[in-house]
């Protein structure tokens, strides 16, 4: 008598391992950043561990005789894997209405302007120390990687940087909803939790020639940070002094 | 061509022997062999020409299966039957029989199990089903055909079909009277597993290629849908996994008696205990639903369990921290969210106490049973002791993951499509009074199905355009109920119950938020 492989168990084990491999690949290649933030990493490692334990514990059933073999349920793991292999790319800025009133946009997330946070009790910073801070020269150089971290820091602790000169790169985002004629937001697409909440976010910048700037174009700007009281809260503003076109940055920023 | 083995399973007195008595005369020419594992009221009429028939007692089945296998092997060798008919014992596990059969030297090569027929006497079936241990469930789950006796109406037939197909959608159900159809199905060649897998593989590949073609242009909305779907799935799976593991832990390791002993019977303390437990479980809504189901099954009173389910995703430490962080340390928002969450959960629990749901309303009982029949008991002889329980726990969590996972995927897909197609204009228009904006944001939270650990960030984005009570409605109602949760719940509970849950949660959240709006905007 030859031992017969139980197909259902085999398929299940293959799916566990395939999903674990996908997660492992996403963790190590940094590919996860396209879908979720780094905060998910420990959870991914946990899931990989469980999937491997599941596979190992199923090995014993691999040759246990069973009359029926089901297979439809493995789609639960298979479908996300297949979706991953479908061609897809980062969500583009152009998906968010850039010049129109944002209320008309069909965006998937909410716009996060730095000035609408109710910032009356500054928390300790989650990202310190941040590079690019020169306290003697009162200068902040925001690297592409730290856009999100500086966004958070300036929103929360803006007072500490009043009068600093800041150099920051992003795209132009305009919304008549909460910006004046001579203002734009120097923005990146921010991912707070997962790609479902990606939305443009940044710091409002004041610039005379603002109306001539095309929304969605990338610039590096330099200007002075000024805290301004709006709707009862102090929020950061950049008074733009220098503006130069820049190459677009791939990927999202993570506040 | 392999020689077929036909197995008839079913409860005592469900008509197994009489079915055999109808079939065997027609099969006499194929020199059948009969194996009987049950002796009911009706006797097998092994008439002219006499059909060889071996009888076994249930005890033998349990005690010495190798001995039993030898006797069967000998009978096979002696009679060289062209087909074998087995009448199985109604209270024995199907897997026991299948294991014995697969240990026969001629199994797989010469013989194979062709069809499994499960007989059911409708009134008896409805009376005993799910109350007589694992074996009948497992037998039904392994059947190809269900033969139903004493069915009085279309309604009853439909009901039985629904139960049977919840175990396996391929099960065919026939009435006892439909003999022609039964025989046709019985002797119809079934397609092999490999050909079915191949076909579905080809189908899947075709759909995949089609979508690959459609998605070549990654600037469209479809790209966003794929992104959001993957984002939500990757985000939710680990949490669902935590929920499923905890729920299986309760299922397998904690006995009903223990829960009854330690869980307070008193309504008030019961609800408070539930909320206290919710406070310490860092899980989001994907995890709280499977745990909720386990608690209800283990006898935790419904008001307390509902309070647990609605409170956990709102008030746990992870959510509090993310709210604190999103609102830049505004403690008023954090405490407002926690307090309103607790108050709503208590009110929802009380409503379920004063207007209790009928037992039948609650579970889609079928789904609950089928969960445990399609694998958990396949190695029941090993489920003794800690090691055995550990394996049952692992298996249970896998099955539950697949079971709930499919609803999560549907929820994620629906949410992804909703998120990409919903125009924000409905959210940006802040017309109408306070009540309108509270309702609007509650509706938005329901449709967007954000994870409760991330919704605070979105709420902050809305804070500029909406009054604080509306934001609170978003923060409190969203984690309790949303599209994804409703689809998840439908894996466990009946439509009626879910509808009731949604209505109660929505009403309570609205009233709580509205009543406390003074406190929120006042200070």
């Amino acid at each position: 008598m030859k031992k017969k492989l139980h197909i259902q168990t085999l398929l299940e084990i293959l799916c566990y391992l395939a999903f674990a491999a996908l997660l492992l690949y996403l963790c190590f290649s940094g590919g996860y950043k396209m879908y979720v933030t780094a905060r998910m990493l420990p959870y991914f490692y946990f899931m990989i561990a469980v999937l491997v334990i599941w596979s190992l514990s199923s090995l014993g059933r691999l040759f246990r005789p069973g009359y029926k073999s089901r297979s439809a349920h493995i789609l639960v793991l298979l479908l996300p894997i297949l979706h991953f292999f479908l061609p897809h790319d980062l969500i583009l800025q152009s998906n968010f209405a850039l010049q129109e009133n944002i209320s008309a946009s069909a965006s998937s997330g909410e716009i996060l302007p730095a000035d609408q946070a109710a910032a009356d009790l500054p928390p300790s910073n989650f990202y310190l120390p941040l590079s690019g801070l020169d306290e003697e020269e009162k200068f902040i150089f925001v690297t592409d990687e730290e856009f999100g971290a500086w966004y958070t820091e300036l929103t929360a602790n803006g007072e500490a940087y009043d009068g600093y000169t800041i150099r920051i790169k992003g795209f132009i985002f305009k919304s008549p909803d909460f910006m004046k004629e001579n203002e734009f937001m120097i923005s990146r697409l921010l991912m707070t939790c997962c790609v479902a909440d990606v939305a443009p976010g940044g710091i409002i910048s004041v610039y005379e020639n603002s109306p001539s700037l095309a929304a969605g174009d990338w610039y590096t700007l330099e200007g002075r940070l000024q805290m301004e009281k709006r709707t009862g809260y102090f929020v950061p503003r950049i008074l733009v002094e220098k503006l130069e076109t820049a190459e677009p940055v791939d990927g999202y920023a993570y506040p | 061509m392999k020689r077929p083995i036909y197995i008839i399973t079913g409860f005592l007195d469900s008509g197994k022997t009489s079915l055999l008595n109808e079939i065997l005369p027609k099969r006499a020419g194929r020199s059948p062999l009969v194996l009987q594992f049950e002796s009911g009221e009706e006797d097998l009429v092994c008439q002219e020409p006499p059909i060889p028939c071996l009888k076994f007692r249930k005890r033998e089945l349990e005690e010495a299966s190798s001995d039993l296998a030898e006797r069967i092997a000998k009978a096979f060798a002696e009679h060289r039957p062209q087909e074998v008919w087995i009448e199985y014992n109604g209270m024995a596990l199907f897997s026991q029989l299948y294991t014995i059969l697969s240990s026969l030297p001629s199994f797989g090569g010469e013989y194979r199990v062709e069809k499994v027929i499960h007989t059911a006497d409708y009134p008896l079936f409805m009376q005993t089903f799910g109350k007589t241990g694992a074996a009948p469930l497992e037998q039904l789950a392994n059947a190809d055909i269900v033969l139903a006796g004493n069915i009085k109406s279309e309604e009853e037939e439909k009901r039985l079909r629904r139960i049977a197909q919840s175990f396996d959608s391929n099960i065919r159900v026939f009435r006892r009277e439909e003999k022609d159809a039964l025989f046709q199905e019985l002797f119809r060649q079934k397609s092999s597993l490999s050909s079915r897998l191949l076909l579905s593989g080809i189908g899947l590949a075709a759909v995949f290629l089609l979508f690959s073609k459609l998605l070549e242009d990654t600037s469209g909305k479809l790209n966003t849908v794929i992104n959001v779907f993957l984002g939500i799935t990757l985000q939710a799976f680990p949490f669902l996994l935590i929920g499923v593991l905890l729920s299986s832990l309760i299922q397998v390791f904690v006995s009903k008696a223990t829960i009854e002993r330690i869980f307070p019977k008193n309504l008030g303390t019961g609800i408070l205990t539930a909320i206290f437990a919710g406070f310490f479980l860092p899980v989001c809504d994907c995890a709280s639903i499977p745990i909720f189901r386990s608690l209800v099954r283990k006898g935790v009173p419904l008001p307390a369990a509902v309070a647990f389910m609605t409170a956990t995703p709102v008030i746990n430490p992870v959510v509090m921290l993310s709210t604190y962080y999103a609102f830049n340390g505004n403690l008023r928002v954090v405490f407002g969210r926690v307090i309103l969450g607790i108050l709503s959960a208590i009110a929802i629990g009380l409503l379920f106490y004063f207007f209790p749901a009928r037992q039948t309303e609650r579970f889609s009982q079928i789904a609950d049973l089928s969960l445990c029949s399609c694998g958990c008991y396949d190695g029941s002889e090993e489920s003794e002791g800690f090691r055995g329980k550990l394996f049952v726990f692992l298996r249970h969590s896998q099955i539950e993951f697949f079971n709930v996972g499919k609803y999560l995927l549907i929820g994620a897909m629906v949410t992804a499509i909703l998120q990409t197609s919903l125009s924000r204009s409905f959210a940006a228009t802040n017309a109408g009074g306070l009540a309108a904006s509270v309702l609007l944001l509650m509706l938005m939270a329901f449709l967007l199905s954000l994870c409760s650990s991330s919704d605070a960030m979105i709420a902050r984005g809305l804070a500029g355009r909406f009054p604080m009570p509306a934001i609170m409605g978003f923060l409190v109602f969203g984690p309790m109920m949303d599209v994804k949760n409703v689809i998840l719940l439908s894996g466990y509970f009946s439509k009626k119950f879910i509808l009731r849950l949604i209505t109660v949660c929505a009403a309570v959240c609205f009233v709580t938020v509205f009543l406390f709006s003074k406190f929120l905007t006042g200070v």
Side-chain angles (χ1 to χ4, degrees), chain A residues 5-18:
Chain A
L5 208 59
H6 193 221
I7 303 293
Q8 178 182 341
T9 312
L10 179 70
L11 288 174
E12 283 173 10
I13 292 177
L14 288 178
C15 279
Y16 298 150
L17 293 178

Side-chain angles (χ1 to χ4, degrees), chain B residues 225-273:
Chain B
V225 172
I226 301 275
N227 266 294
V228 174
F229 173 75
L230 280 169
I232 294 179
T233 309
L234 284 175
Q235 167 98 356
F237 263 5
F239 290 104
L240 182 73
L241 201 57
I242 294 174
V244 157
L245 288 174
L246 284 175
S247 137
S248 300
L249 209 61
I250 298 173
Q251 281 295 335
V252 177
F253 285 99
V254 185
S255 73
K256 207 170 169 168
T258 317
I259 291 239
E260 270 166 8
R261 208 174 56 241
I262 60 168
F263 204 89
K265 300 223 165 25
N266 184 296
L267 170 74
T269 43
I271 291 184
L272 286 184
T273 312

Side-chain angles (χ1 to χ4, degrees), chain A residues 11-86:
Chain A
L11 288 174
E12 283 173 10
I13 292 177
L14 288 178
C15 279
Y16 298 150
L17 293 178
F19 203 86
L22 174 65
L23 285 181
L24 212 58
Y25 166 76
L26 287 175
C27 287
F28 279 93
S29 67
Y32 69 88
K33 284 185 182 153
M34 197 174 154
Y35 311 102
V36 293
T37 66
R39 283 186 282 268
M40 279 306 288
L41 278 180
Y43 293 99
F44 282 168
Y45 290 127
F46 164 76
M47 184 158 187
I48 293 169
V50 172
L51 287 172
V52 170
I53 293 171
W54 276 0
S55 313
L56 292 177
S57 74
S58 299
L59 285 178
R61 288 185 296 113
L62 207 47
F63 288 100
R64 187 178 300 165
Y67 175 53
K68 280 192 181 176
S69 258
R70 279 161 237 260
S71 50
H73 61 292
I74 58 165
L75 284 176
V76 169
L77 289 170
L78 202 57
L79 279 183
I81 297 175
L82 288 178
H83 270 84
F84 177 77
F85 284 107
L86 281 174

Side-chain angles (χ1 to χ4, degrees), chain B residues 11-76:
Chain B
F11 216 64
L12 190 70
D13 284 338
S14 61
K16 296 191 291 282
T17 316
S18 41
L19 177 65
L20 263 183
N21 279 335
E22 278 170 45
I23 294 174
L24 285 177
K26 298 188 173 72
R27 312 301 290 175
R30 301 177 52 87
S31 62
L33 169 72
V34 176
L35 307 178
Q36 256 189 319
F37 289 85
E38 182 145 77
S39 37
E41 281 177 10
E42 193 170 335
D43 278 323
L44 192 66
V45 204
C46 293
Q47 62 313 58
E48 296 297 314
I51 293 170
C53 174
L54 264 69
K55 283 186 201 234
F56 306 91
R57 265 191 283 270
K58 185 166 184 273
R59 265 228 333 266
E60 293 175 82
L61 194 65
E62 279 154 6
E63 279 165 7
S65 47
S66 64
D67 184 45
L68 210 126
E70 264 168 46
R71 279 173 64 195
I72 297 174
K74 231 173 92 187
F76 273 39

Side-chain angles (χ1 to χ4, degrees), chain A residues 85 121 191:
Chain A
F85 284 107
L121 270 181
M191 183 198 288

Side-chain angles (χ1 to χ4, degrees), chain B residues 431-462:
Chain B
L434 183 62
S437 52
V438 173
L439 281 179
L440 191 70
L441 280 205
M442 277 173 64
L443 178 68
M444 195 166 143
F446 185 80
L447 293 179
L448 290 183
S449 306
L450 297 157
C451 184
S452 60
S453 50
S454 68
D455 58 354
M457 278 292 178
I458 307 301
R460 187 189 65 177
L462 295 165

